[in-house]
Amino acid sequence: MQTISLALHTDKYQINMMYAHWVNGTHKRKAVFEAYFRKLPFKNGYAVFAGLERIVHYISNLRFTMEDIKYLSSQEENYDPAFLEELLQFSFQGTIYSMKEGAMVFPDEPLIRVEGNIMETQLVETAILNFMNYQTLIATKASRIKQVSGNDALLEFGTRRAQEADAAIWGARAAYVAGFDATSNMLAGEQFGIPTAGTHAHSWVQSFETEQEAFDAYAKVMPDQVTLLVDTFDTLGSGVPHAIATAKMLEAQGKKMNAIRLDSGDLAYLSIQARKMLDDAGLPYVRIVASNDLDEHTIFNLKAQGARIDTWGVGTQLITAADQPSLGGVYKLVEREMNGKMEPTIKISANPEKVTTPGKKEVYRLIDPETNKAIADYISYPDDDQPKDQQALELFNPVHPYIKKKVKKYNAVNMLEPIFINGRRVYELPTLEEIRAYHQEQKEMFWPEYLRKLNPEIYRVHISPAAWNLKQKMLAEYIQS
């Protein structure tokens, strides 16, 4: 678990902006930033929010050390020593609201809201995006894999292909949040209490005179945890027959072999043939584990081919999010203090999707009370236009405003939880098992068409009339000026 400050885990321009504010005397001004993403990853119908626990530890331990200050003093910007002294006394005194980990989330809605003075809200941007973007991406990928694997067991095997240790450890946690059953990473197991799983490598088999000797030796050492890798030489010609012999040896001792593992070749064909060989040998309880660059697409196709695989070991494609290696989350200023008063602000871009919605916002999930299914998400301002249960709402698509519908029966659930208030943590971190259960509850609130892997239905995120009107007003004022 993180116990040290990561104050310099930030981009240099954050420090430079902080310094410029300090020199100009604007560093105490209040500001509100919101973190969100614009486009769903993997062409999926939803994303799974993750990363909050690490953000909480980061904020709680956010301090500049003497080593940090010494490093900053060596920079060519020649920061004023008084500024560096102020950094040495720094601690986060702002307010943070966030989605809960495991929540189903969608484009253009705030996942995290940060309020405070401009220095502290600017400083934390890089780290918050780093933690949110990576873990949300991996949790979403893992949830997609879970969707196609059904009740099969899922093992996270990605450590050796991950981009360094942090990615391996926190990626394993994100995968577990989204429904994976275990990880091969022992440090992730120790730190987070994730169940661990592992078999043996091809090198184990190669280090013995014969494959049979290797299998028997392994089984004698761990008779209750035997899963044998059967493709070192010839999967069906030697691997499976030798594994069957070892299983029979264990049966004679009153033990049962857990599984065999396939790591190469035509996994559909090999699993079908191996299943027949195991069943014919009276070993229907021996499961079949498969690995080898698996992802949701491969698993989906293997199942369509009738593969007899019970457990999937997923590594590289998951831990690196190989088909989309970045979420692309952003952190935008939506409100700032001017002349002692908080005012909304807007970012305008030649790319319409990059135009921000001004003002500090809440996110409500509208739930049908009869079916307990999500109807839509509704973004509104905290003060005067919150949805009230059973009050009729007109929902319209902010991209296509002519698409409208009215809802009368709904329960409105505020999705943003207070995490820090004026620098004090007010949120009790849930256990990992509670987060997994929450994610499962979240999934059950959505109709299957939003969850499917191919061509999912678009779940709508609406903004309130007040938010829409302010956005149009500020756009018009800018154009006229």
Side-chain angles (χ1 to χ4, degrees):
M1 197 63 62
Q2 176 190 327
T3 57
I4 61 171
S5 169
L6 292 175
L8 291 185
H9 183 46
T10 190
D11 292 302
K12 189 169 189 176
Y13 78 169
Q14 311 287 15
I15 301 293
N16 285 346
M17 285 188 287
M18 292 165 63
Y19 183 54
H21 274 299
W22 183 85
V23 170
N24 285 297
T26 55
H27 59 298
K28 298 297 185 182
R29 286 184 182 174
K30 300 298 183 183
V32 179
F33 285 83
E34 291 174 349
Y36 59 96
F37 62 88
R38 299 186 181 108
K39 186 178 180 181
L40 284 164
F42 317 114
K43 298 181 180 179
N44 207 39
Y46 64 92
V48 181
F49 178 66
L52 178 59
E53 181 169 319
R54 190 161 200 202
I55 290 169
V56 167
H57 293 306
Y58 160 72
I59 295 293
S60 299
N61 294 287
L62 187 52
R63 303 287 188 280
F64 287 89
T65 66
M66 285 300 299
E67 289 76 13
D68 295 336
I69 299 304
K70 182 178 179 181
Y71 176 73
L72 288 172
S73 68
S74 71
Q75 299 297 294
E76 60 185 13
E77 283 78 7
N78 195 26
Y79 302 118
D80 190 311
F83 169 71
L84 299 180
E85 178 60 31
E86 188 156 335
L87 292 187
L88 197 57
Q89 307 306 316
F90 174 88
S91 65
F92 184 82
Q93 297 300 311
T95 293
I96 295 178
Y97 285 77
S98 175
M99 296 279 190
K100 293 165 65 174
E101 284 199 279
M104 306 282 271
V105 294
F106 302 91
D108 299 315
E109 59 185 19
L111 308 185
I112 300 171
R113 188 174 78 226
V114 182
E115 308 172 28
N117 67 55
I118 191 66
M119 287 224 331
E120 61 191 350
T121 54
Q122 201 75 72
L123 173 64
V124 301
E125 172 183 358
T126 302
I128 284 177
L129 286 178
N130 178 213
F131 303 146
M132 178 192 89
N133 280 339
Y134 176 68
Q135 293 191 48
T136 299
L137 187 73
I138 301 305
T140 304
K141 181 77 170 174
S143 187
R144 278 170 61 79
I145 295 170
K146 178 65 177 176
Q147 283 297 107
V148 302
S149 65
N151 294 323
D152 298 344
L154 290 171
L155 312 177
E156 186 279 310
F157 279 178
T159 296
R160 63 187 61 196
R161 303 288 172 77
Q163 282 88 350
E164 270 286 359
D166 273 5
I169 295 164
W170 290 94
R173 181 185 180 279
Y176 191 67
V177 163
F180 270 59
D181 299 288
T183 178
S184 65
N185 188 292
M186 297 298 286
L187 187 55
E190 179 188 34
Q191 288 194 359
F192 305 123
I194 302 172
T196 55
T199 56
H200 61 76
H202 295 104
S203 60
W204 170 264
V205 177
Q206 292 172 280
S207 66
F208 287 82
E209 285 289 329
T210 68
E211 189 175 49
Q212 189 69 69
E213 182 186 358
F215 287 175
D216 290 348
Y218 190 83
K220 288 174 183 176
V221 174
M222 288 175 281
D224 297 311
Q225 302 292 330
V226 181
T227 295
L228 300 175
L229 181 58
V230 296
D231 70 334
T232 304
F233 303 117
D234 182 342
T235 300
L236 301 179
S238 67
V240 176
H242 289 149
I244 289 171
T246 301
K248 292 299 184 181
M249 178 191 75
L250 287 168
E251 281 188 339
Q253 301 169 10
K255 304 288 186 180
K256 287 186 174 182
M257 190 166 80
N258 286 347
I260 61 169
R261 178 161 74 98
L262 306 172
D263 190 49
S264 60
D266 185 333
L267 296 179
Y269 172 76
L270 292 174
S271 66
I272 292 169
Q273 296 303 313
R275 179 76 274 155
K276 183 177 186 304
M277 293 168 70
L278 290 167
D279 290 350
D280 289 348
L283 302 170
Y285 58 83
V286 175
R287 294 174 292 115
I288 298 177
V289 181
S291 50
N292 188 26
D293 281 341
L294 299 175
D295 64 7
E296 67 271 35
H297 309 295
T298 312
I299 294 171
F300 182 84
N301 290 335
L302 285 168
K303 281 181 164 289
Q305 296 169 51
R308 301 295 304 277
I309 294 167
D310 311 290
T311 302
W312 308 88
V314 187
T316 305
Q317 304 299 314
L318 168 64
I319 206 68
T320 65
D323 46 347
Q324 185 177 328
S326 175
L327 179 66
V330 295
Y331 182 91
K332 296 300 179 183
L333 182 69
V334 296
E335 197 171 280
R336 83 282 200 230
E337 183 182 6
M338 296 295 288
N339 301 316
K341 181 182 176 182
M342 295 302 292
E343 295 184 356
T345 183
I346 189 171
K347 173 188 177 292
I348 297 175
S349 171
N351 301 108
E353 71 276 7
K354 291 188 175 183
V355 177
T356 61
T357 299
K360 178 171 74 175
K361 298 174 287 295
E362 301 284 359
V363 182
Y364 293 89
R365 186 147 296 160
L366 307 182
I367 308 295
D368 186 322
E370 294 181 0
T371 64
N372 200 36
K373 297 293 186 184
I375 301 168
D377 281 10
Y378 187 81
I379 298 174
S380 66
Y381 293 134
D383 300 326
D384 57 359
D385 70 332
Q386 299 176 25
K388 296 178 176 60
D389 294 354
Q390 309 312 318
Q391 173 186 321
L393 281 178
E394 183 174 80
L395 305 180
F396 69 94
N397 183 334
V399 179
H400 305 289
Y402 62 88
I403 301 177
K404 300 179 181 181
K405 74 173 181 177
K406 285 189 176 181
V407 293
K408 294 181 179 179
K409 294 182 178 181
Y410 63 87
N411 296 322
V413 178
N414 194 332
M415 297 297 291
L416 292 174
E417 296 272 338
I419 310 299
F420 290 88
I421 301 293
N422 297 326
R424 183 174 66 89
R425 179 153 73 94
V426 296
Y427 181 72
E428 183 177 348
L429 289 169
T431 67
L432 203 49
E433 295 303 324
E434 289 171 337
I435 295 171
R436 275 168 62 86
Y438 176 68
H439 174 58
Q440 184 59 37
E441 291 169 7
Q442 285 274 292
K443 283 202 301 184
E444 290 170 359
M445 283 187 173
F446 288 82
W447 296 105
E449 52 263 37
Y450 297 118
L451 307 180
R452 63 191 179 217
K453 184 177 81 74
L454 296 174
N455 302 315
E457 179 65 22
I458 297 172
Y459 180 78
R460 299 298 179 183
V461 176
H462 304 268
I463 65 174
S464 69
W468 171 259
N469 291 335
L470 179 60
K471 185 174 184 177
Q472 301 312 305
K473 177 177 177 288
M474 295 184 75
L475 282 168
E477 288 173 350
Y478 174 79
I479 293 169
Q480 290 172 3
S481 65

